[in-house]
Amino acid sequence: MARGMLPVITMVVALTAMALAAITPMASTPVEDIIYVSSENVASEESMRGLYERWYMLYRRDGDPIDKEKRFAIFKAEAHAVHKLNEGGARVKHNLNWFADMTQDEYAESFANCSPLEVRSRNERKLNLHQPSEYYPDKLPLTVDWRTVDGVLTSVKHQGNCGSCWAIAAAQAMESVHFLKNKKRVNVSSQEMVDCTNGNNGCKGGRASRAFQYVINKHGIHSSEQYPYVGNGSHCTTPAGPPVMSIGRFIFVHRHNEKKLMDAVALAPIVVSIRGTNSSEFMRYSGGIFRGPCDTEKRHQALLVGYGTMPSDDANDPGVKYWVVKNSWGVSWGERGYMRIERGHEADGGLCGIMRYPLYPAHPK
Ligand SMILES: *[C@@H]1O[C@H](CO)[C@@H](O)[C@H](O)[C@H]1NC(C)=O
Ligand SMILES: *[C@@H]1O[C@H](CO)[C@@H](O)[C@H](O)[C@H]1NC(C)=O
Ligand SMILES: *[C@@H]1O[C@H](CO)[C@@H](O)[C@H](O)[C@H]1NC(C)=O
């Protein structure tokens, strides 16, 4: 328990500063399965119990009853912390999501530590580098959001207790590129990549680049109907039937270059690495523009699906620039499964290193 409490305390200090920033209301539709925390909820042991039961029915219905009592203590601390953070109209919102009864270590193991650094050889850097479009650098769209284009993105996934973020991000990037080229929807199997990719570690983490390499070597990837997601590492099998799609290569976007990344994501969604995911701020994020901290070294991979700028009421304030990221932690996390994260910080590779290792799959020529 003591270990679980520590991040709670440090986080309150970090977020007080953030809450002082101007308050901008956010337009988002509440999702049915989100549990909000009110002062009444945290007032007594009894009300806390009621809140836990509601949460439990949504997230741990089939849980072990002995474990349930033990975890009530973690949940209570989490509910208090979340309530405190949301007080005073904090700009970044937090809620009791799927992680609310997990210790920081449990969360970190499957969710925050899912992807080591991307690697790229000198040759890959030279040969397979994003070629900027005719819109680069001065005619880039002000806003890009692939969620608004029907067919490009499939539903938000939940990786479960499996460090498969890299496979899910890779699968979704391939689904998008297939749709954009052929106007055909497919559900690409991330489980096949979890089970079969060489040089990756299955549910213990991996790199999207190796998942793409697997698909290139195998001349295709099967669908999640042919090779369903089980959320644990199993034996690599070859499903019946032909693969549903293939890619010819994968392409890196220049590092530390905001406009080139904007240009690339305007053409199709991009796999990005995000540093600093092992923090309670990241774990509890439920809305607004995330501004860190990202000070832990653990990494995650997710899908970049757009960018924009949140306007400000003050004519002299240019507003807050952000990226839109699709995560694989279900719809109870973030803005229905997505995160807006501050854009800028180019010299540092972007907030949480988001501009450091972007890559995307490309069709065979
Ligand atoms: C995640 O953070 C917690 C709390 O700071 C720390 O105890 C734990 O070792 C970290 N886990 C990983 C995998 O980095
Ligand atoms: C993809 O999966 C979704 C959700 O399971 C399903 O509704 C859809 O029909 C699938 N698409 C294809 C092309 O199989
Ligand atoms: C993986 O998940 C499947 C489906 O839930 C289950 O049948 C299997 O026993 C699991 N394997 C391991 C090693 O946990």
Side-chain angles (χ1 to χ4, degrees):
M1 198 48 232
R3 251 209 261 195
M5 292 294 289
L6 188 61
V8 174
I9 297 159
T10 45
M11 185 202 46
V12 170
V13 176
L15 266 126
T16 313
M18 225 184 276
L20 293 174
I23 300 157
T24 320
M26 255 191 60
S28 77
T29 329
V31 180
E32 268 170 4
D33 64 355
I34 284 181
I35 302 261
Y36 293 96
V37 194
S38 68
S39 307
E40 290 77 49
N41 290 148
V42 297
S44 68
E45 182 79 6
E46 203 189 333
S47 60
M48 204 56 119
R49 169 66 69 175
L51 183 69
Y52 186 46
E53 292 301 335
R54 268 205 298 137
W55 179 89
Y56 199 88
M57 282 310 285
L58 278 172
Y59 294 102
R60 297 286 186 270
R61 197 184 279 268
D62 303 321
D64 170 358
I66 298 167
D67 205 34
K68 180 176 176 183
E69 286 316 302
K70 209 179 68 191
R71 288 185 179 276
F72 183 39
I74 302 172
F75 180 87
K76 279 192 287 189
E78 181 68 9
H80 277 299
V82 163
H83 178 247
K84 202 160 186 158
L85 287 169
N86 287 343
E87 268 176 347
R91 188 170 185 148
V92 175
K93 295 290 181 197
H94 307 82
N95 72 21
L96 291 170
N97 56 25
W98 199 76
F99 306 118
D101 74 343
M102 288 168 76
T103 63
Q104 184 79 23
D105 283 353
E106 287 171 324
Y107 160 77
E109 195 183 321
S110 295
F111 295 91
N113 191 18
C114 170
S115 189
L117 279 181
E118 270 297 348
V119 281
R120 52 180 101 181
S121 66
R122 186 175 299 220
N123 217 16
E124 281 168 339
R125 277 201 300 261
K126 268 206 204 123
L127 294 177
N128 292 328
L129 204 52
H130 174 68
Q131 298 298 316
S133 74
E134 59 190 291
Y135 305 109
Y136 175 87
D138 296 324
K139 297 192 198 99
L140 297 170
L142 288 176
T143 304
V144 168
D145 191 343
W146 287 112
R147 289 175 295 184
T148 63
V149 185
D150 191 38
V152 177
L153 301 175
T154 54
S155 61
V156 170
K157 305 297 186 290
H158 197 318
Q159 63 192 69
N161 290 324
C162 170
S164 57
C165 63
W166 54 275
I168 295 177
Q172 297 188 329
M174 290 191 281
E175 288 163 357
S176 302
V177 92
H178 190 67
F179 182 82
L180 288 167
K181 173 124 194 268
N182 302 318
K183 295 287 171 283
K184 283 212 183 93
R185 295 172 200 249
V186 287
N187 294 314
V188 166
S189 172
S190 44
Q191 190 68 43
E192 180 173 349
M193 293 182 272
V194 169
D195 293 346
C196 306
T197 308
N198 277 334
N200 274 342
N201 235 340
C203 281
K204 293 204 155 54
R207 298 178 174 97
S209 56
R210 295 198 170 147
F212 293 142
Q213 193 58 55
Y214 165 82
V215 176
I216 294 166
N217 295 348
K218 285 278 178 180
H219 306 290
I221 178 88
H222 293 84
S223 70
S224 53
E225 287 77 22
Q226 292 168 298
Y227 202 138
Y229 192 67
V230 290
N232 59 36
S234 39
H235 286 295
C236 176
T237 57
T238 306
V244 283
M245 69 163 290
S246 190
I247 59 171
R249 56 202 183 117
F250 54 95
I251 297 192
F252 291 103
V253 184
H254 302 70
R255 302 168 55 164
H256 300 238
N257 191 319
E258 186 176 331
K259 286 206 162 168
K260 284 209 172 118
L261 186 54
M262 287 163 73
D263 182 68
V265 76
L267 301 173
I270 308 287
V271 175
V272 286
S273 296
I274 297 176
R275 190 189 60 231
T277 34
N278 185 16
S279 74
S280 41
E281 289 86 345
F282 205 93
M283 179 179 88
R284 290 177 184 145
Y285 166 80
S286 80
I289 298 177
F290 184 76
R291 293 168 163 199
C294 316
D295 48 8
T296 65
E297 265 312 307
K298 298 303 167 206
R299 280 169 197 282
H300 182 63
Q301 279 186 319
L303 195 68
L304 186 71
V305 300
Y307 61 83
T309 303
M310 169 120 90
S312 150
D313 294 337
D314 178 351
N316 297 318
D317 179 347
V320 185
K321 300 191 299 175
Y322 60 84
W323 300 108
V324 184
V325 173
K326 183 183 187 189
N327 204 354
S328 48
W329 294 353
V331 291
S332 78
W333 183 87
E335 299 180 327
R336 289 170 161 262
Y338 291 81
M339 173 184 256
R340 282 180 297 162
I341 179 168
E342 193 182 8
R343 183 154 57 95
H345 309 275
E346 189 173 62
D348 303 328
L351 188 67
C352 308
I354 197 167
M355 289 190 254
R356 288 183 67 190
Y357 300 95
L359 73 161
Y360 63 92
H363 262 278
K365 276 197 177 142

